[in-house]
Amino acid sequence: MMKLNPLILSALLTHGIVAFAEENQATMMHHQHPVETTEAPLSEAGNDAFGTIQEVIARLNSNPDTDWSKVNIEALRQHLVDMNDMTLNVEVISQKAVQQGLVAIVKPTTARSAAALKRVFTAHPAQLKRDTGWDMQIVKTGDRYTLTTTTENPGEVSKIRGLGYIGLMASGGHHQLHHWAMATGVNPHARHQ
């Protein structure tokens, strides 16, 4: 075994400790004074609901004419919770092709999703008709909903079947307009009632 001269050992240890301390200090200073950047290092704000709300707030902030006394971000948040429930907390029991379309039977899996489906199904058939021309009839039996969606256009029957329950609920570009209306204090369904 090789023996190190105590003086050399002391010098090596001192150099190592000084080098470690300098590196550690540089790291700490970097964290205390982050490099200024105009671009966020991430593109996602969190989950999709949070990101939608953040986008709405950014748009409201960028508009000098925003009437903040009418803004209602909570209404938008509640609607986004409903959308989450109708997407994730619903059991799709069956989807069956019928002449001119599809019949889907769905059932909420939580009390919250039961309330969400009731609210969403009140407005969605009329909106789907405006967006696509398709007819959606909804019948509630016990805790299940039967959605029958049909079209007069034979070329769109396979599209309805391919979309299925959640695709039919997500169809159309009206969702973004509805979200903006809710956030700015406007009832998005007022003109359709």
Side-chain angles (χ1 to χ4, degrees), residues 42-159:
L42 302 174
S43 62
E44 294 298 323
N47 64 34
D48 55 347
F50 191 89
T52 298
I53 291 168
Q54 188 180 55
E55 180 182 10
V56 166
I57 292 169
R59 179 69 58 94
L60 292 168
N61 279 331
S62 70
N63 180 358
D65 297 325
T66 294
D67 183 350
W68 288 98
S69 68
K70 292 182 180 176
V71 170
N72 189 347
I73 299 298
E74 180 58 18
L76 173 59
R77 187 187 77 81
Q78 290 294 327
H79 178 71
L80 295 172
V81 170
D82 280 353
M83 291 181 75
N84 186 68
D85 277 320
M86 63 165 250
T87 302
L88 302 177
N89 297 323
V90 171
E91 177 186 352
V92 179
I93 295 168
S94 68
Q95 298 186 100
K96 182 177 78 173
V98 293
Q99 187 175 6
Q100 296 180 296
L102 175 83
V103 172
I105 300 174
V106 299
K107 174 179 136 178
T109 58
T110 66
R112 182 72 181 74
S113 63
L117 286 181
K118 184 177 181 182
R119 284 187 289 273
V120 171
F121 288 159
T122 299
H124 192 72
Q127 186 64 53
L128 185 67
K129 179 73 169 176
R130 280 188 294 280
D131 288 349
T132 64
W134 303 337
D135 291 308
M136 178 182 273
Q137 301 296 319
I138 300 176
V139 176
K140 185 174 189 273
T141 308
D143 63 348
R144 296 177 180 203
Y145 289 89
T146 302
L147 290 71
T148 304
T149 307
T150 57
T151 179
E152 295 296 321
N153 182 343
E156 294 183 332
V157 172
S158 60
K159 184 175 184 179

